[in-house]
Amino acid sequence: MAEVFARMVSLAMISIFTQNAIFDRAFGVNVAIYASRKSSHVIGFTIGTTAITTLASAAAYPFDIMLLPSEYGYLYMPLIYVGIVSVLYLLGLFILWGLFPKTYYKVNKYAHLAVFNCAVFGALFLNYNFGKGFAGYVGYGFGTGIGLFLACFLLNIAHERLNSDKIPSVFRGYPIMLIFIGIISLAFNVLVGYTAEF
């Protein structure tokens, strides 16, 4: 049991720091920039993304084991991943609607952005390479969501300074955020000391 937990935690740490969805692979950059504009959005978006990456990784594990080793299994997996995420999205909305209607009406407008983004699907596609077992899948999925939180938190901190009058108007907003993400990505890769292979 301790070995399984250690594997889950180590893969979560790897996906948070060394293979961060935003800073290492550029998955979900648009969502991260959008969510980082308000502090309240950061927590809501990352809770939704973390829940969906964790649950979808757990649900995708049996399909990966059955289909990916077959000759043409990789052709079906994108459709299966979309199906898994869609079912979890609808179940989540129905649960919120039935049990927490006030929360449902608050998150209904933005829930699809937290669920259907590249960070979620990137975690599902990378799980087969890094997950290695059910605990690894869950750990990697959870770590991807927490890594997105780390990235959104850093972008939220920088948002006010990067949109100040000291920045030329041509670069304010989206361009300066992309430059900032690029610089932070370089710093992450220097600290880790490796290059990601796609």
Side-chain angles (χ1 to χ4, degrees):
M1 184 66 178
E3 208 173 294
V4 171
F5 184 71
R7 176 104 178 122
M8 191 182 307
V9 169
S10 68
L11 279 169
M13 290 298 163
I14 286 170
S15 64
I16 292 170
F17 297 110
T18 63
Q19 295 177 4
N20 188 291
I22 302 291
F23 297 136
D24 189 50
R25 302 197 183 266
F27 292 152
V29 171
N30 286 338
V31 172
I33 290 174
Y34 179 77
S36 67
R37 292 180 185 169
K38 293 183 181 177
S39 298
S40 61
H41 285 178
V42 170
I43 293 172
F45 271 88
T46 55
I47 285 173
T49 303
T50 303
I52 207 73
T53 54
T54 306
L55 295 172
S57 294
Y61 176 72
F63 293 103
D64 283 356
I65 297 305
M66 286 186 296
L67 293 175
L68 282 177
S70 67
E71 187 176 357
Y72 297 109
Y74 65 93
L75 294 174
Y76 303 112
M77 292 318 294
L79 291 173
I80 290 172
Y81 293 157
V82 169
I84 289 169
V85 171
S86 299
V87 167
L88 289 173
Y89 170 69
L90 292 173
L91 281 173
L93 286 181
F94 281 130
I95 289 169
L96 282 176
W97 179 62
L99 299 177
F100 308 102
K102 288 182 182 177
T103 306
Y104 169 78
Y105 289 113
K106 285 182 185 176
V107 303
N108 188 24
K109 271 198 249 181
Y110 307 107
H112 63 282
L113 294 174
V115 172
F116 295 102
N117 64 57
C118 292
V120 172
F121 290 107
L124 294 177
F125 280 108
L126 291 172
N127 259 335
Y128 188 73
N129 294 333
F130 298 106
K132 307 297 185 218
F134 183 76
Y137 271 60
V138 172
Y140 195 83
F142 180 74
T144 300
I146 300 300
L148 185 74
F149 169 74
L150 173 69
C152 288
F153 179 72
L154 291 174
L155 293 176
N156 181 267
I157 291 171
H159 182 75
E160 187 177 318
R161 290 187 178 166
L162 292 177
N163 288 318
S164 71
D165 292 335
K166 294 178 182 177
I167 304 293
S169 61
V170 174
F171 288 109
R172 270 185 229 144
Y174 199 73
I176 195 69
M177 289 303 269
L178 289 178
I179 292 169
F180 179 73
I181 289 170
I183 292 169
I184 296 295
S185 298
L186 289 172
F188 265 68
N189 280 320
V190 166
L191 288 174
V192 172
Y194 96 109
T195 306
E197 296 176 13
F198 286 94

Short mmCIF file of all heavy atoms in Angstrom, two decimals, residues 47-80:
data_model
loop_
_atom_site.label_atom_id
_atom_site.label_comp_id
_atom_site.label_asym_id
_atom_site.label_seq_id
_atom_site.Cartn_x
_atom_site.Cartn_y
_atom_site.Cartn_z
N ILE A 47 -9.99 23.86 -9.40
CA ILE A 47 -10.73 22.78 -8.72
C ILE A 47 -11.44 21.94 -9.78
O ILE A 47 -11.40 20.71 -9.74
CB ILE A 47 -11.72 23.35 -7.68
CG1 ILE A 47 -10.98 23.83 -6.45
CG2 ILE A 47 -12.75 22.29 -7.29
CD1 ILE A 47 -11.85 24.55 -5.44
N GLY A 48 -12.10 22.59 -10.72
CA GLY A 48 -12.78 21.86 -11.78
C GLY A 48 -11.83 21.04 -12.63
O GLY A 48 -12.07 19.86 -12.92
N THR A 49 -10.71 21.63 -13.01
CA THR A 49 -9.74 20.92 -13.84
C THR A 49 -9.09 19.77 -13.08
O THR A 49 -8.91 18.68 -13.63
CB THR A 49 -8.67 21.89 -14.36
OG1 THR A 49 -9.32 22.94 -15.07
CG2 THR A 49 -7.70 21.19 -15.29
N THR A 50 -8.76 19.99 -11.81
CA THR A 50 -8.15 18.93 -11.01
C THR A 50 -9.10 17.76 -10.83
O THR A 50 -8.71 16.60 -10.96
CB THR A 50 -7.69 19.47 -9.64
OG1 THR A 50 -6.80 20.56 -9.85
CG2 THR A 50 -7.00 18.40 -8.83
N ALA A 51 -10.36 18.06 -10.55
CA ALA A 51 -11.34 16.99 -10.38
C ALA A 51 -11.51 16.20 -11.68
O ALA A 51 -11.53 14.96 -11.66
CB ALA A 51 -12.69 17.57 -9.95
N ILE A 52 -11.58 16.89 -12.79
CA ILE A 52 -11.82 16.19 -14.05
C ILE A 52 -10.59 15.42 -14.50
O ILE A 52 -10.70 14.31 -15.02
CB ILE A 52 -12.34 17.15 -15.15
CG1 ILE A 52 -13.18 16.40 -16.16
CG2 ILE A 52 -11.26 17.86 -15.85
CD1 ILE A 52 -14.51 16.00 -15.69
N THR A 53 -9.37 15.96 -14.31
CA THR A 53 -8.18 15.21 -14.72
C THR A 53 -8.00 13.97 -13.86
O THR A 53 -7.60 12.91 -14.36
CB THR A 53 -6.90 16.07 -14.66
OG1 THR A 53 -6.77 16.66 -13.38
CG2 THR A 53 -6.89 17.13 -15.72
N THR A 54 -8.30 14.08 -12.57
CA THR A 54 -8.15 12.93 -11.68
C THR A 54 -9.17 11.85 -12.01
O THR A 54 -8.82 10.67 -12.19
CB THR A 54 -8.30 13.37 -10.21
OG1 THR A 54 -7.38 14.43 -9.95
CG2 THR A 54 -8.02 12.22 -9.27
N LEU A 55 -10.45 12.23 -12.12
CA LEU A 55 -11.50 11.25 -12.40
C LEU A 55 -11.39 10.68 -13.81
O LEU A 55 -11.58 9.47 -14.02
CB LEU A 55 -12.87 11.89 -12.20
CG LEU A 55 -13.21 12.30 -10.76
CD1 LEU A 55 -14.51 13.09 -10.73
CD2 LEU A 55 -13.29 11.08 -9.87
N ALA A 56 -11.06 11.52 -14.77
CA ALA A 56 -10.94 11.04 -16.15
C ALA A 56 -9.73 10.11 -16.30
O ALA A 56 -9.79 9.14 -17.05
CB ALA A 56 -10.83 12.21 -17.11
N SER A 57 -8.66 10.38 -15.58
CA SER A 57 -7.49 9.50 -15.62
C SER A 57 -7.84 8.13 -15.05
O SER A 57 -7.44 7.09 -15.60
CB SER A 57 -6.32 10.10 -14.85
OG SER A 57 -5.87 11.28 -15.47
N ALA A 58 -8.58 8.13 -13.95
CA ALA A 58 -9.00 6.85 -13.36
C ALA A 58 -9.93 6.09 -14.30
O ALA A 58 -9.82 4.87 -14.44
CB ALA A 58 -9.68 7.10 -12.01
N ALA A 59 -10.83 6.81 -14.95
CA ALA A 59 -11.78 6.16 -15.87
C ALA A 59 -11.10 5.70 -17.16
O ALA A 59 -11.53 4.71 -17.77
CB ALA A 59 -12.92 7.11 -16.20
N ALA A 60 -10.05 6.38 -17.58
CA ALA A 60 -9.37 6.02 -18.83
C ALA A 60 -8.43 4.83 -18.67
O ALA A 60 -8.10 4.18 -19.67
CB ALA A 60 -8.58 7.22 -19.34
N TYR A 61 -8.03 4.53 -17.46
CA TYR A 61 -7.06 3.46 -17.23
C TYR A 61 -7.49 2.12 -17.84
O TYR A 61 -6.71 1.51 -18.59
CB TYR A 61 -6.76 3.32 -15.74
CG TYR A 61 -5.85 2.16 -15.42
CD1 TYR A 61 -4.51 2.22 -15.74
CD2 TYR A 61 -6.34 1.00 -14.83
CE1 TYR A 61 -3.66 1.16 -15.47
CE2 TYR A 61 -5.51 -0.06 -14.56
CZ TYR A 61 -4.17 0.02 -14.87
OH TYR A 61 -3.34 -1.04 -14.62
N PRO A 62 -8.70 1.62 -17.57
CA PRO A 62 -9.06 0.32 -18.16
C PRO A 62 -9.10 0.33 -19.70
O PRO A 62 -8.72 -0.64 -20.34
CB PRO A 62 -10.44 0.01 -17.60
CG PRO A 62 -10.83 1.13 -16.74
CD PRO A 62 -9.74 2.12 -16.69
N PHE A 63 -9.53 1.45 -20.27
CA PHE A 63 -9.56 1.55 -21.73
C PHE A 63 -8.15 1.55 -22.31
O PHE A 63 -7.89 0.94 -23.35
CB PHE A 63 -10.32 2.81 -22.17
CG PHE A 63 -11.77 2.77 -21.84
CD1 PHE A 63 -12.28 3.49 -20.77
CD2 PHE A 63 -12.64 2.00 -22.61
CE1 PHE A 63 -13.62 3.45 -20.47
CE2 PHE A 63 -14.00 1.97 -22.32
CZ PHE A 63 -14.49 2.69 -21.24
N ASP A 64 -7.24 2.27 -21.65
CA ASP A 64 -5.85 2.28 -22.11
C ASP A 64 -5.24 0.89 -22.07
O ASP A 64 -4.54 0.48 -22.99
CB ASP A 64 -5.01 3.23 -21.25
CG ASP A 64 -5.23 4.69 -21.60
OD1 ASP A 64 -5.97 4.98 -22.55
OD2 ASP A 64 -4.64 5.55 -20.91
N ILE A 65 -5.50 0.17 -20.99
CA ILE A 65 -4.94 -1.18 -20.85
C ILE A 65 -5.50 -2.13 -21.91
O ILE A 65 -4.78 -2.95 -22.46
CB ILE A 65 -5.22 -1.72 -19.42
CG1 ILE A 65 -4.52 -0.85 -18.39
CG2 ILE A 65 -4.79 -3.17 -19.29
CD1 ILE A 65 -3.04 -0.68 -18.59
N MET A 66 -6.78 -1.99 -22.21
CA MET A 66 -7.41 -2.90 -23.18
C MET A 66 -7.08 -2.53 -24.63
O MET A 66 -6.78 -3.40 -25.44
CB MET A 66 -8.93 -2.89 -23.02
CG MET A 66 -9.43 -3.64 -21.80
SD MET A 66 -11.23 -3.75 -21.76
CE MET A 66 -11.71 -2.03 -21.60
N LEU A 67 -7.14 -1.24 -24.97
CA LEU A 67 -7.10 -0.85 -26.38
C LEU A 67 -5.72 -0.42 -26.89
O LEU A 67 -5.39 -0.69 -28.04
CB LEU A 67 -8.10 0.27 -26.64
CG LEU A 67 -9.56 -0.12 -26.50
CD1 LEU A 67 -10.45 1.09 -26.68
CD2 LEU A 67 -9.92 -1.19 -27.52
N LEU A 68 -4.93 0.27 -26.08
CA LEU A 68 -3.68 0.80 -26.60
C LEU A 68 -2.67 -0.27 -27.03
O LEU A 68 -1.95 -0.06 -28.00
CB LEU A 68 -3.05 1.77 -25.61
CG LEU A 68 -3.70 3.15 -25.61
CD1 LEU A 68 -3.09 4.04 -24.54
CD2 LEU A 68 -3.60 3.81 -26.96
N PRO A 69 -2.58 -1.42 -26.36
CA PRO A 69 -1.65 -2.43 -26.87
C PRO A 69 -2.08 -3.07 -28.20
O PRO A 69 -1.24 -3.63 -28.90
CB PRO A 69 -1.64 -3.49 -25.76
CG PRO A 69 -2.09 -2.79 -24.54
CD PRO A 69 -3.05 -1.75 -25.03
N SER A 70 -3.36 -2.96 -28.57
CA SER A 70 -3.81 -3.54 -29.84
C SER A 70 -3.28 -2.71 -31.00
O SER A 70 -2.82 -1.59 -30.85
CB SER A 70 -5.33 -3.62 -29.87
OG SER A 70 -5.89 -2.33 -29.91
N GLU A 71 -3.39 -3.28 -32.19
CA GLU A 71 -2.77 -2.67 -33.37
C GLU A 71 -3.33 -1.29 -33.70
O GLU A 71 -2.59 -0.36 -34.01
CB GLU A 71 -2.94 -3.59 -34.57
CG GLU A 71 -2.18 -3.14 -35.78
CD GLU A 71 -2.28 -4.12 -36.94
OE1 GLU A 71 -2.90 -5.18 -36.77
OE2 GLU A 71 -1.74 -3.80 -38.00
N TYR A 72 -4.63 -1.13 -33.63
CA TYR A 72 -5.26 0.15 -33.98
C TYR A 72 -5.95 0.82 -32.79
O TYR A 72 -6.79 1.69 -32.98
CB TYR A 72 -6.26 -0.05 -35.12
CG TYR A 72 -5.62 -0.53 -36.39
CD1 TYR A 72 -5.82 -1.83 -36.83
CD2 TYR A 72 -4.79 0.30 -37.12
CE1 TYR A 72 -5.22 -2.28 -38.00
CE2 TYR A 72 -4.19 -0.13 -38.28
CZ TYR A 72 -4.39 -1.43 -38.71
OH TYR A 72 -3.79 -1.86 -39.86
N GLY A 73 -5.57 0.44 -31.61
CA GLY A 73 -6.20 1.00 -30.42
C GLY A 73 -6.02 2.49 -30.27
O GLY A 73 -6.91 3.20 -29.79
N TYR A 74 -4.87 2.98 -30.70
CA TYR A 74 -4.60 4.41 -30.57
C TYR A 74 -5.55 5.26 -31.40
O TYR A 74 -5.73 6.45 -31.13
CB TYR A 74 -3.14 4.71 -30.96
CG TYR A 74 -2.83 4.43 -32.41
CD1 TYR A 74 -2.94 5.44 -33.36
CD2 TYR A 74 -2.43 3.17 -32.83
CE1 TYR A 74 -2.68 5.20 -34.69
CE2 TYR A 74 -2.16 2.92 -34.16
CZ TYR A 74 -2.28 3.94 -35.09
OH TYR A 74 -2.02 3.69 -36.40
N LEU A 75 -6.19 4.68 -32.40
CA LEU A 75 -7.15 5.43 -33.21
C LEU A 75 -8.45 5.71 -32.46
O LEU A 75 -9.12 6.70 -32.72
CB LEU A 75 -7.46 4.66 -34.50
CG LEU A 75 -6.31 4.49 -35.48
CD1 LEU A 75 -6.72 3.59 -36.63
CD2 LEU A 75 -5.85 5.84 -35.99
N TYR A 76 -8.80 4.82 -31.53
CA TYR A 76 -10.06 4.96 -30.79
C TYR A 76 -9.93 5.81 -29.54
O TYR A 76 -10.92 6.33 -29.04
CB TYR A 76 -10.61 3.58 -30.40
CG TYR A 76 -10.83 2.68 -31.57
CD1 TYR A 76 -10.06 1.55 -31.75
CD2 TYR A 76 -11.81 2.97 -32.51
CE1 TYR A 76 -10.26 0.71 -32.83
CE2 TYR A 76 -12.02 2.15 -33.60
CZ TYR A 76 -11.23 1.02 -33.75
OH TYR A 76 -11.44 0.21 -34.82
N MET A 77 -8.72 5.93 -29.03
CA MET A 77 -8.55 6.58 -27.73
C MET A 77 -8.99 8.05 -27.69
O MET A 77 -9.60 8.46 -26.72
CB MET A 77 -7.10 6.44 -27.24
CG MET A 77 -6.73 5.00 -26.90
SD MET A 77 -7.98 4.06 -26.00
CE MET A 77 -8.05 4.93 -24.47
N PRO A 78 -8.74 8.86 -28.72
CA PRO A 78 -9.25 10.24 -28.64
C PRO A 78 -10.77 10.31 -28.46
O PRO A 78 -11.27 11.10 -27.66
CB PRO A 78 -8.81 10.86 -29.96
CG PRO A 78 -7.62 10.09 -30.36
CD PRO A 78 -7.88 8.69 -29.89
N LEU A 79 -11.49 9.46 -29.18
CA LEU A 79 -12.95 9.45 -29.03
C LEU A 79 -13.36 8.97 -27.64
O LEU A 79 -14.31 9.50 -27.04
CB LEU A 79 -13.58 8.55 -30.09
CG LEU A 79 -13.50 9.06 -31.52
CD1 LEU A 79 -14.00 8.01 -32.50
CD2 LEU A 79 -14.28 10.34 -31.67
N ILE A 80 -12.66 7.99 -27.13
CA ILE A 80 -12.97 7.48 -25.80
C ILE A 80 -12.67 8.55 -24.75
O ILE A 80 -13.46 8.75 -23.82
CB ILE A 80 -12.19 6.18 -25.53
CG1 ILE A 80 -12.78 5.07 -26.41
CG2 ILE A 80 -12.24 5.79 -24.06
CD1 ILE A 80 -12.01 3.79 -26.40
#
